[in-house]
Amino acid sequence: MVKARGDQEALALLTGLGDQPPLVTKAAASAVSSIQSNLAMWSMVQNAWYGLSLGSVLLLAAIGLAITFGVMGVINMAHGEMVMLGAYTTFVVQEVIRTRYPALFDYSLLIAVPLAFLVAGFIGVLIERTIIRFLYGRPLETLLATWGLSLVLQQAVRTAFGPTNREVGNPSWMSGAFELGQITITYNRLWILCFTLAVFAILLAMLRYTALGLEMRAVTQNRRMAASMGIATSRVDALTFGLGSGIAGIAGVALSQIDNVSPNLGQSYIIDSFMVVVFGGVGNLWGTLVGAFTLGIANKFLEPVAGAVLGKIAILVLIILFIQKRPRGLFALKGRAVEA
Amino acid sequence: MNVMDTRATSAMLYLDGVHVSFDGFHAINNLSLTLAPGEMRAIIGPNGAGKTTMMDIITGKTKPDEGTVLFDGTVDLTRLDETRIAELGIGRKFQKPTVFESQTVQDNLLLALNVDHSVRGTLFWRGSKAESERIDKVLETIRLTDARNRLAGSLSHGQKQWLEIGMLLAQDPKVLLVDEPVAGMTDVETHLTAELLKEINRNHTIMVVEHDMTFVRELGVKVTCLHEGSVLAEGSIDQVSSNERVVEVYLGR
Amino acid sequence: MTPHILTRSLDRAATAFVLLVAAVGVLIPLSNLLLPQGSMFQVPTYLVALWGKYVCYAILALSIDLIWGYCGILSLGHGAFFALGGYAMGMYLMRQIGSRGVYGNPILPDFMVFLNWDKLPWYWYGFDKFAFAALMVLVVPGLLAFCFGWLAFRSRVTGVYLSIITQAMTYALLLAFFRNDFGFGGNNGLTDFKDILGFNVQAEGTRAALFLLSCLALIIAFLICRAIVSSKLGKVLIAVRDAESRTRFLGYRVESYKLFVFTLSACMAGVAGALYVPQVGIINPSEFAPANSIEAVIWVAVGGRGTLIGAALGAVVVNYAKTFFTSGPLAPYWLFMLGALFILVTLLLPKGIVGTFNSWWEPRRSTGIAADEASAAREDGISAAKMAE
Amino acid sequence: MSGWSKCIWGARAMLKIDNINLYYGAAQALRGVSLTAEPGKVTCVLGRNGVGKTSLLRAMVGQYPIASGAINFDGKDITALKPYERARRGIGFVPQGREIFPLLTVEENLKTGFGPLKREDRNIPNDVFSLFPVLETMLGRRGGDLSGGQQQQLAIGRALVMRPKLLLLDEPTEGIQPSIIKDIGRAISYLRNLGNIAIVLVEQYLDFACELGDSFAVMDRGAVKYACDRANLDPAEISRQMAL
């Protein structure tokens, strides 16, 4: 009977039975072991869920980078700052709503998403036009210039909004949690997972079915020939970079729900994002998806064994070792199509 | 020992049944070729016939999916990397002249000399008389004596081609793979290059890829025509250039 | 080292640089110690320490320039080697505190007592001996660089991929050193140093000596780098930088060359860190921050990558500017300026200060227009290379 | 309207190249080349490998900047225009080696030519499929998976989608099986007979060029060294000029 409850409490009850008749002890022991395996199963599920949740955050942060780094080959160290700008856009939207239209608070994120896309996207286009276009084919220089840019953006936000964390609220539909079997699922994590997958799907569809998507793919596969087909390659470059940055901005909206909104927000994601893209295979969106979830889940399964920080270190070390083995990542494109 | 084996062991380079494919595309398709010691061989064929890929395989840049590649009859080249293969004595001139542009002509040759290539050896290196004499000799051969202190990047296209050939000479390999040596050269330069290669051929085995039929004719050596990754025809320039298929796919009617 | 390497490596500019550093190394401490306080020419003690810091940074910049400027390896994790050298020295200094710590434990540093550790972890053994610590200053960064480089260079991880994983390396170390149970003082790091080799680290005389030592180390590091880049090895490194695959086809084992300079460079960075710690009085995990490593790269870019004097100069100039601006009313704008520096140097001054000066000066110095022609042709060469299929 | 827009129309325009020079670094690839191409005519440029034929085409489409000289198209000087601007004015390019976008499908490859078109004209002309029926059966395949001959047809079809006024073909028969060469030949003469499109055909395959060409220029070492038109065409003389 107690076995049917199957949770931690029941386990405590059963192991705490003490001196009982042999029959009861035996029954209790079998109940204990069955509960324990049950619990182990649920803790696996819990870890898997945490892993998916972390994976979705990684994917969200990395997806824009998969465009700018993976597709265009630009090492954008200011990518994290685009995420940060998205988060601050959310903050500003919520401030305006709080002071002017409090009733709209639950819709604040819906308003923030397109705005964040535009803000970050616009800045992305600006960056491409003023800095990056002079540095194509010089990846190391791009890296340094965009790093400088990230310092400027951080400091600009610090000057405008102050160095401390800013409060971004969760709308009611993002708060709370529900129970699924033995595990607790918070709504914000669930929504972020759904949101991430939606962004991924929209991006994929955009690349596959729109004219701009076609032009982007044509330019990245053969820039010279694309120009000879009348595609304005420099415009496509700017828009592609803007798209990648805009998606980073959207990521910022979602991350504002689970992380501190501070000028340093982007810094904490940049290395992870690069790891995801490199691990998944540069130039392959599906690789980024698989890479993000693999790393997320691996991280959460390592955590109970090694602890949070050591788990993360272990992941970093594993990725470093992995890159040695497969420098082109998990889903590397192969053959002449890539070499050309 | 059967015929096949003797052919393999007596050859300087021996390729048999080599296949390479990239992403479903067969770049090299059942390619078999032998190069005898001391031979000079011209390779012709349309673009994309696999000439450069073949050189990549011989020098270890590309690993074949299957097939045998032997050097000097015994050494299996498919197991070795570029450095090791270069050390064995296979030198290569690239299609696009690849010299060290920010270093002087003289230093380019110095780097190519086949002396101690270890880290320690180069750190404690001090020029010897023999070395500088060899460099002088190579400079003379490639007609760049006056340009010895110029940066390689400042040379004309033809001079860069020669410098790269000079680097091969300094390297003194057993086999020279020469990819399009006269591309972009004037008539006179082309003629001089042919003379130069013939001179080098006196004590080196050479495989030269070239489109310029006048040049190939001037070399006067056995010609192999590649097409779609395998050998289409082989023989003297006259035999090959009168071959129906060669005319169709390459020379044009 | 055999003398011919030394004579070959000392051209006029190099000799001038060595003499300048030597003069600074002697004059600043002398003026600090001998002239009366308040005198116009007296260098205050805090400035001695500050300039000592710059000199250490200059050594770090040299180590980065050796691999980036001459061999094309952009490490974004060189701060890690600097910090490891610093920690090795910091551990020695901690052990020298002895029973003078807050808790008065003769063996255990304060933070271990605070964390209720009952004995010294094994990896702290030996650090009470200066010789051992000094050895570790070289061995620890060198060994890490060797292992890391061995894996990376052998599997031909190059370009930005290498940069990204070096950054991940220093990031992983940052996370590790933040942990209390890692045994290096966690967040606070190692500080409250008292003595070095029996001398008080705060004393003016010690500071002066440390400054002199740092200048000496800079000179030695510079001479080592000069010896390398002016040897045939240096030519091979440049060959690797400009055309790695061509170098391989000439029969050079490229990965051995990279491994050699990378490890050497890490050792130099370690020495810089070790000299840095007693002069600033603290070492903590923030030294591992990826931002620090990237900042060090920009010193090199500002000064001129591929010119050793430029790298050292860049480190001093940028850090002097940093001190100047962050201590004045312009402090909030420093990061703007640093950011702008990154952008403008890469866009407008890709050769850096010394590189630009050289290319402006050399054509005028050498007879004829050969060099002008050469540099123009080099640019042509680049565009031709881009255009060629 | 749709019937009109679903065919290839082109518009009369003339190309005039005047004394252009082109360098790759230190190597001079073109030496004072002049050439004209008229609507409804096929201008053939002949010569062996490496004599500058491809460089000439790439200079026309703007991929390589020329050092001196002028390129005039449709009455305007286009020397300073970027490649995509030239394409938008009606220069269709079929490069050597096809340069199909390998990861795009056949249909997507064709659609990359929509850029210069007005919205209502953004369709694939029926002529493309009637000239190269194989493309219609392979719309969903990746360009990189096609055989060489199919890729060549796709490359020509792709250029036609742009409704070019000037069509530049760089060795369209290179490495292609004879049956497809015949298809390509038929396509080129069909396009010439439309009367509005100027065609420049770069070839090594002399018979093919002689069959289609209206005027001929033989290049060697970056310069035009022999020229003639159909009226005084002597294949033997051209062959001799090419072989020298």
Side-chain angles (χ1 to χ4, degrees):
Chain A
M1 188 184 67
V2 186
K3 179 178 161 186
R5 280 172 57 191
D7 58 9
Q8 206 73 45
E9 266 175 60
L11 189 64
L13 196 66
L14 285 173
T15 46
L17 280 176
D19 284 342
Q20 295 288 337
L23 206 65
V24 179
T25 322
K26 209 175 158 202
S30 87
V32 165
S33 74
S34 122
I35 289 173
Q36 267 166 347
S37 72
N38 195 23
L39 278 176
M41 198 271 285
W42 276 111
S43 97
M44 289 269 287
V45 175
Q46 179 85 62
N47 280 337
W49 163 248
Y50 285 149
L52 280 180
S53 169
L54 177 65
S56 68
V57 171
L58 289 175
L59 178 58
L60 207 49
I63 209 167
L65 205 63
I67 303 278
T68 50
F69 176 52
V71 176
M72 301 178 75
V74 172
I75 314 299
N76 182 17
M77 296 303 277
H79 177 77
E81 278 55 52
M82 298 294 145
V83 176
M84 184 260 293
L85 286 175
Y88 272 90
T89 310
T90 319
F91 166 71
V92 172
V93 167
Q94 287 200 348
E95 280 301 292
V96 172
I97 286 179
R98 261 201 201 106
T99 50
R100 305 258 171 87
Y101 320 98
L104 286 178
F105 187 72
D106 271 359
Y107 301 97
S108 60
L109 293 188
L110 296 182
I111 301 165
V113 166
L115 266 178
F117 181 83
L118 290 178
V119 169
F122 173 74
I123 293 184
V125 170
L126 212 64
I127 294 171
E128 201 278 340
R129 286 289 82 190
T130 53
I131 299 174
I132 297 194
R133 76 179 164 126
F134 301 107
L135 298 173
Y136 282 117
R138 287 157 63 193
L140 298 179
E141 273 92 338
T142 324
L143 193 154
L144 291 181
T146 50
W147 176 264
L149 197 77
S150 83
L151 291 181
V152 170
L153 288 171
Q154 274 178 51
Q155 189 61 16
V157 168
R158 208 172 278 134
T159 314
F161 296 94
T164 51
N165 290 347
R166 285 296 174 159
E167 170 80 24
V168 171
N170 295 353
S172 59
W173 48 273
M174 285 285 270
S175 327
F178 66 96
E179 302 263 323
L180 186 76
Q182 298 280 312
I183 63 169
T184 310
I185 293 180
T186 53
Y187 279 109
N188 59 1
R189 292 276 176 178
L190 185 63
W191 277 117
I192 287 176
L193 178 62
C194 298
F195 179 72
T196 307
L197 294 177
V199 170
F200 185 80
I202 291 171
L203 181 66
L204 215 55
M206 193 247 128
L207 281 176
R208 189 157 296 173
Y209 299 114
T210 66
L212 181 62
L214 181 64
E215 292 187 348
M216 282 177 186
R217 286 183 294 147
V219 169
T220 51
Q221 282 174 41
N222 187 337
R223 164 176 305 271
R224 201 172 63 175
M225 191 60 223
S228 289
M229 294 305 297
I231 297 172
T233 45
S234 51
R235 184 182 132 262
V236 171
D237 285 333
L239 288 178
T240 312
F241 198 80
L243 176 72
S245 305
I247 291 173
I250 296 184
V253 179
L255 294 180
S256 73
Q257 295 297 305
I258 51 169
D259 205 338
N260 297 327
V261 176
S262 77
N264 302 328
L265 172 75
Q267 286 296 299
S268 41
Y269 289 101
I270 184 75
I271 292 180
D272 285 339
S273 307
F274 269 108
M275 288 296 137
V276 166
V277 176
V278 169
F279 178 67
V282 171
N284 186 327
L285 275 186
W286 288 103
T288 308
L289 179 87
V290 175
F293 284 114
T294 311
L295 292 185
I297 291 171
N299 205 335
K300 287 298 170 184
F301 275 89
L302 269 176
E303 246 175 42
V305 188
V309 178
L310 278 185
K312 191 161 170 89
I313 295 169
I315 291 281
L316 282 175
V317 172
L318 285 178
I319 295 176
I320 291 174
L321 292 176
F322 176 83
I323 293 178
Q324 328 266 354
K325 273 271 163 255
R326 301 190 62 162
R328 283 152 171 265
L330 212 48
F331 292 89
L333 297 168
K334 274 185 290 199
R336 307 220 304 168
V338 188
E339 310 260 330
Chain B
M1 200 184 256
N2 63 29
V3 186
M4 208 47 190
D5 286 337
T6 37
R7 212 164 66 99
T9 47
S10 66
M12 187 55 101
L13 269 181
Y14 174 81
L15 283 76
D16 189 39
V18 177
H19 283 268
V20 180
S21 60
F22 303 116
D23 216 12
F25 169 84
H26 292 280
I28 295 286
N29 210 348
N30 196 16
L31 174 70
S32 301
L33 193 97
T34 36
L35 199 60
E39 189 186 348
M40 168 145 63
R41 175 77 59 90
I43 310 279
I44 59 170
N47 291 340
K51 301 179 300 266
T52 302
T53 311
M54 177 179 72
M55 290 203 170
D56 285 346
I57 290 169
I58 296 170
T59 52
K61 194 178 178 197
T62 301
K63 298 281 162 219
D65 300 332
E66 53 183 285
T68 318
V69 185
L70 293 181
F71 171 68
D72 220 359
T74 46
V75 188
D76 180 0
L77 294 181
T78 59
R79 297 166 172 276
L80 306 175
D81 68 358
E82 296 100 313
T83 313
R84 190 72 199 96
I85 291 174
E87 281 169 359
L88 279 175
I90 296 183
R92 178 176 184 182
K93 192 202 94 57
F94 288 78
Q95 189 173 342
K96 193 188 96 195
T98 315
V99 294
F100 303 116
E101 307 231 336
S102 60
Q103 307 202 41
T104 62
V105 169
Q106 189 167 254
D107 284 347
N108 267 275
L109 295 175
L110 176 65
L111 283 169
L113 285 178
N114 61 339
V115 292
D116 187 354
H117 280 183
S118 71
V119 173
R120 182 215 284 258
T122 51
L123 180 59
F124 296 105
W125 166 89
R126 51 203 306 181
S128 70
K129 197 145 183 264
E131 281 186 18
S132 59
E133 273 168 8
R134 260 184 69 197
I135 291 177
D136 288 345
K137 196 158 162 280
V138 172
L139 281 170
E140 211 167 297
T141 315
I142 59 173
R143 293 155 205 275
L144 286 175
T145 308
D146 294 337
R148 65 188 308 157
N149 289 319
R150 279 172 66 188
L151 293 182
S154 72
L155 297 178
S156 79
H157 182 76
Q159 287 175 317
K160 278 185 198 165
Q161 298 267 40
W162 277 347
L163 175 55
E164 207 178 354
I165 295 173
M167 286 165 77
L168 276 186
L169 285 176
Q171 202 181 341
D172 195 27
K174 292 191 180 115
V175 179
L176 284 79
L177 307 179
V178 188
D179 202 348
E180 297 200 18
V182 299
M185 283 189 180
T186 61
D187 283 329
V188 180
E189 287 173 330
T190 304
H191 172 72
L192 289 172
T193 309
E195 293 296 311
L196 181 58
L197 282 185
K198 280 193 264 186
E199 163 96 35
I200 297 168
N201 183 224
R202 280 194 211 146
N203 35 23
H204 297 86
T205 309
I206 301 180
M207 179 188 277
V208 50
V209 166
E210 189 46 73
H211 281 302
D212 192 322
M213 293 305 284
T214 329
F215 173 76
V216 173
R217 197 168 281 278
E218 193 173 352
L219 289 179
V221 295
K222 193 170 166 189
V223 177
T224 299
C225 179
L226 295 189
H227 178 55
E228 289 177 351
S230 48
V231 175
L232 185 69
E234 206 165 80
S236 73
I237 177 78
D238 291 319
Q239 285 169 334
V240 170
S241 57
S242 59
N243 180 305
E244 275 283 311
R245 290 279 290 141
V246 173
V247 172
E248 185 180 328
V249 304
Y250 182 55
L251 296 174
R253 282 166 288 201
Chain C
M1 223 173 276
T2 29
H4 75 271
I5 291 184
L6 200 65
T7 48
R8 186 170 57 207
S9 56
L10 275 173
D11 63 0
R12 250 184 15 214
T15 315
F17 178 78
V18 168
L19 292 177
L20 176 77
V21 177
V24 168
V26 173
L27 290 180
I28 287 190
L30 281 186
S31 107
N32 171 254
L33 294 177
L34 298 183
L35 294 175
Q37 273 200 3
S39 148
M40 213 171 92
F41 299 104
Q42 202 255 357
V43 181
T45 308
Y46 83 92
L47 271 186
V48 175
L50 190 65
W51 280 85
K53 208 169 87 170
Y54 296 165
V55 173
C56 295
Y57 286 150
I59 302 173
L60 175 61
L62 274 184
S63 78
I64 292 174
D65 195 28
L66 180 64
I67 55 169
W68 185 38
Y70 291 89
C71 195
I73 305 169
L74 176 54
S75 162
L76 295 183
H78 244 52
F81 304 124
F82 182 84
L84 285 174
Y87 265 97
M89 177 56 76
M91 286 159 79
Y92 163 73
L93 294 171
M94 287 307 267
R95 295 295 304 271
Q96 294 306 299
I97 298 174
S99 53
R100 284 170 293 175
V102 179
Y103 297 105
N105 188 313
I107 306 275
L108 293 186
D110 278 351
F111 71 88
M112 290 190 192
V113 183
F114 181 77
L115 293 171
N116 294 323
W117 292 26
D118 52 3
K119 64 180 179 48
L120 207 60
W122 60 268
Y123 45 81
W124 275 76
Y125 291 157
F127 277 93
D128 49 337
K129 309 271 192 307
F130 181 80
F132 180 79
L135 189 66
M136 287 300 122
V137 162
L138 292 170
V139 167
V140 173
L143 198 63
L144 176 66
F146 184 84
C147 297
F148 186 90
W150 191 76
L151 286 166
F153 300 138
R154 209 182 36 131
S155 43
R156 301 195 187 168
V157 180
T158 52
V160 291
Y161 291 93
L162 189 85
S163 303
I164 290 172
I165 62 169
T166 51
Q167 199 183 9
M169 174 194 75
T170 193
Y171 184 59
L173 284 168
L174 171 75
L175 293 175
F177 275 79
F178 260 125
R179 290 170 60 86
N180 277 332
D181 57 6
F182 210 61
F184 295 101
N187 198 4
N188 298 324
L190 310 175
T191 186
D192 294 329
F193 307 133
K194 304 280 190 264
D195 291 348
I196 179 165
L197 289 170
F199 301 102
N200 180 355
V201 285
Q202 305 287 349
E204 282 177 0
T206 320
R207 286 187 176 280
L210 280 169
F211 182 83
L212 181 64
L213 270 177
S214 303
C215 287
L216 202 62
L218 177 60
I219 291 174
I220 292 172
F222 176 78
L223 288 178
I224 291 176
C225 289
R226 272 300 301 178
I228 286 175
V229 303
S230 56
S231 71
K232 189 176 171 187
L233 175 63
K235 297 184 204 294
V236 179
L237 294 181
I238 293 175
V240 170
R241 180 191 73 187
D242 293 344
E244 177 169 338
S245 143
R246 186 77 185 91
T247 318
R248 263 205 191 94
F249 284 116
L250 284 181
Y252 289 95
R253 199 149 286 286
V254 168
E255 51 273 27
S256 309
Y257 282 85
K258 286 183 167 180
L259 193 56
F260 171 72
V261 280
F262 191 65
T263 309
L264 180 73
S265 157
C267 292
M268 277 168 54
V271 170
L275 286 164
Y276 170 86
V277 167
Q279 299 190 71
V280 298
I282 184 168
I283 174 83
N284 63 28
S286 68
E287 294 296 336
F288 285 104
N292 283 19
S293 298
I294 300 185
E295 213 180 300
V297 169
I298 205 66
W299 305 336
V300 179
V302 168
R305 78 181 262 219
T307 63
L308 293 170
I309 297 175
L313 195 71
V316 175
V317 168
V318 176
N319 280 293
Y320 180 77
K322 185 175 186 172
T323 313
F324 181 79
F325 285 109
T326 51
S327 59
L330 293 172
Y333 303 102
W334 165 246
L335 279 177
F336 284 124
M337 301 187 44
L338 184 63
L341 195 66
F342 271 91
I343 298 166
L344 294 177
V345 164
T346 47
L347 283 180
L348 307 177
L349 210 67
K351 290 179 191 165
I353 298 171
V354 171
T356 309
F357 177 79
N358 278 348
S359 56
W360 174 81
W361 176 248
E362 300 232 332
R364 280 155 188 77
R365 195 181 56 182
S366 61
T367 50
I369 51 165
D372 241 350
E373 211 173 57
S375 76
R378 208 167 348 164
E379 276 154 32
D380 280 351
I382 290 162
S383 56
K386 263 185 218 153
M387 279 194 295
E389 283 134 290
Chain D
M1 185 63 202
S2 75
W4 157 245
S5 65
K6 286 208 88 172
C7 65
I8 303 165
W9 64 81
R12 302 182 69 87
M14 194 163 94
L15 175 76
K16 241 184 105 177
I17 292 171
D18 195 19
N19 197 19
I20 60 172
N21 286 295
L22 174 76
Y23 295 84
Y24 301 153
Q28 185 166 8
L30 294 179
R31 302 163 203 260
V33 175
S34 298
L35 194 80
T36 52
E38 290 169 40
K41 297 269 168 66
V42 175
T43 306
C44 292
V45 179
L46 299 156
R48 286 177 283 108
N49 264 313
V51 295
K53 304 186 306 287
T54 297
S55 304
L56 177 61
L57 281 198
R58 297 212 183 263
M60 288 187 211
V61 298
Q63 287 178 354
Y64 296 156
I66 55 174
S68 61
I71 303 174
N72 197 287
F73 175 63
D74 204 3
K76 292 189 185 72
D77 184 10
I78 59 164
T79 314
L81 292 189
K82 293 198 173 80
Y84 83 90
E85 292 167 323
R86 300 189 196 194
R88 283 170 178 249
R89 300 209 170 185
I91 299 183
F93 181 39
V94 180
Q96 190 178 28
R98 281 90 68 175
E99 302 204 18
I100 294 301
F101 300 109
L103 303 176
L104 302 187
T105 63
V106 168
E107 188 177 5
E108 287 171 334
N109 264 287
L110 291 171
K111 283 181 171 177
T112 54
F114 284 176
L117 301 176
K118 290 202 218 58
R119 192 160 291 277
E120 66 268 22
D121 296 334
R122 294 196 172 174
N123 50 45
I124 297 164
N126 293 332
D127 287 347
V128 170
F129 295 131
S130 57
L131 289 172
F132 306 118
V134 66
L135 296 181
E136 195 158 18
T137 64
M138 295 199 156
L139 283 177
R141 295 269 297 272
R142 285 203 313 186
D145 296 340
L146 265 52
S147 77
Q150 292 161 346
Q151 287 192 353
Q152 190 65 62
Q153 300 181 49
L154 174 56
I156 298 174
R158 184 175 63 176
L160 293 179
V161 171
M162 295 161 64
R163 276 56 160 206
K165 299 173 188 171
L166 168 67
L167 184 63
L168 306 174
L169 298 143
D170 195 352
E171 304 205 19
T173 62
E174 185 184 31
I176 308 286
Q177 67 200 64
S179 66
I180 294 182
I181 292 184
K182 284 208 186 86
D183 289 340
I184 291 173
R186 266 197 300 274
I188 294 174
S189 57
Y190 171 84
L191 294 168
R192 176 186 53 197
N193 294 340
L194 288 177
N196 286 327
I197 305 176
I199 298 172
V200 175
L201 174 65
V202 163
E203 257 308 335
Q204 280 193 57
Y205 182 2
L206 186 56
D207 290 358
F208 184 78
C210 287
E211 203 174 296
L212 291 163
D214 294 294
S215 62
F216 302 86
V218 179
M219 287 184 73
D220 194 24
R221 301 219 182 280
V224 174
K225 67 171 205 178
Y226 176 78
C228 66
D229 54 23
R230 193 156 194 91
N232 51 17
L233 169 66
D234 175 8
E237 174 61 16
I238 290 194
S239 174
R240 207 179 64 78
Q241 291 287 349
M242 276 174 74
L244 276 176

